[in-house]
Amino acid sequence: MELKFTIDKIDYGGIAKKAIPIVIKKLSASHADGKLAQILQKMGNAPADVAKVMLNALPQDMKDQVAVLLLQSYKEELTGLLNDFAAKKGVEITVSNIEINP
């Protein structure tokens, strides 16, 4: 069985702010010295503010692709939330995968 959700409104600025910590984490993990990640962390909110401005300037299809990438990074958590919700409601189902497309 498949269940489809349609998202009508997206806070792209919020996505930009959430994406920066994920980018920093991935940079830290992928680069042994982690210097770029350290620089970004020291800049505080500046990278998120710049990302927000840049994201808002992108065409809609590119904004949607960024949103998909962010949501895909939370795929396991979203699956867990749905399974927990069903269990709390007494519904015996298991969500095994979430497919996220623009």
Side-chain angles (χ1 to χ4, degrees):
M1 176 193 298
E2 290 186 23
L3 177 64
K4 182 178 177 180
F5 291 93
T6 301
I7 299 173
D8 292 324
K9 185 178 178 185
I10 300 174
D11 173 15
Y12 292 102
I15 286 173
K17 287 185 176 188
K18 291 288 184 190
I20 291 298
I22 292 169
V23 168
I24 291 172
K25 184 178 179 182
K26 288 189 180 210
L27 283 172
S28 296
S30 66
H31 293 79
D33 60 6
K35 289 187 190 243
L36 181 56
Q38 290 173 1
I39 291 168
L40 289 172
Q41 286 174 331
K42 288 179 183 176
M43 293 175 67
N45 288 334
D49 293 339
V50 170
K52 182 176 179 179
V53 170
M54 291 174 59
L55 187 60
N56 285 332
L58 292 175
Q60 188 62 44
D61 63 326
M62 292 183 81
K63 288 181 191 178
D64 291 343
Q65 288 177 8
V66 170
V68 166
L69 289 172
L70 181 69
L71 289 171
Q72 285 175 339
S73 72
Y74 290 111
K75 220 171 152 173
E76 286 182 27
E77 290 176 61
L78 292 170
T79 302
L81 285 170
L82 291 171
N83 285 323
D84 290 347
F85 177 77
K88 286 178 185 173
K89 296 295 180 182
V91 178
E92 191 174 325
I93 64 166
T94 301
V95 177
S96 59
N97 187 38
I98 295 177
E99 185 176 321
I100 303 166
N101 300 306

